[in-house]
């Protein structure tokens, strides 16, 4: 089965020097999966290509979102906000690290 992507998909922008706005994707799949996809496309009144592209795009967006977005419970959101608004005191090791950083990276007087 040959799938044809259409539109300006965000993961394709800037990835090619070609002026085409589409790319070609080929996939071999079991006959039963092909029949399943075709039936689902018919139910939605879409072409097989449109159905597969939409489903694959949605799955790709979800995968990327799951990898890049940290989701916190309401309780964890409140803890996070509280830690930003009222941070805990610095640990002694952190104070020493800041002092060491200042000594190493302080501007030098070259005059």
């Amino acid at each position: 089965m040959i799938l044809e992507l259409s539109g300006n998909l965000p993961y394709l922008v800037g990835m090619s020097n070609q002026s085409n706005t589409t790319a070609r994707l080929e996939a071999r799949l079991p006959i039963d999966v092909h029949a399943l996809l075709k039936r689902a496309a018919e139910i939605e009144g879409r072409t097989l290509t449109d159905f597969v592209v939409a489903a694959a795009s949605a799955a790709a967006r979800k995968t990327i979102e799951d990898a890049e977005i940290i989701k916190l419970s309401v309780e964890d959101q409140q803890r996070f906000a509280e830690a930003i608004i009222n941070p805990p005191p610095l640990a002694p090791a952190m104070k020493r690290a800041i002092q060491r950083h200042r000594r190493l990276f302080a501007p030098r007087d070259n005059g």
Side-chain angles (χ1 to χ4, degrees):
M1 180 175 94
I2 297 175
L3 303 176
E4 192 170 314
L5 301 176
S6 63
N8 195 7
L9 303 175
Y11 52 86
L12 294 177
V13 174
M15 293 181 70
S16 172
N17 292 332
Q18 297 176 358
S19 62
N20 292 342
T21 58
T22 63
R24 190 167 209 68
L25 173 67
E26 294 183 36
R28 293 197 178 275
L29 39 134
I31 292 173
D32 59 331
V33 173
H34 182 269
L36 181 71
L37 294 172
K38 191 172 178 183
R39 178 69 181 127
E42 289 170 357
I43 290 170
E44 289 193 1
R46 298 172 139 183
T47 65
L48 180 58
T49 297
D50 183 49
F51 178 83
V52 171
V53 169
S57 296
R61 279 197 280 306
K62 183 180 180 331
T63 298
I64 292 167
E65 179 182 305
D66 289 348
E68 293 181 350
I69 296 176
I70 298 171
K71 296 180 183 177
L72 300 175
S73 67
V74 172
E75 183 179 301
D76 288 338
Q77 291 176 40
Q78 291 170 339
R79 283 189 199 150
F80 182 76
E82 182 62 31
I84 291 174
I85 295 167
N86 297 309
L90 294 177
M94 180 58 82
K95 289 180 182 178
R96 289 192 304 272
I98 291 170
Q99 291 170 349
R100 190 170 35 245
H101 180 272
R102 286 183 179 147
R103 282 194 309 271
L104 289 170
F105 296 100
R108 305 237 188 254
D109 185 13
N110 292 331

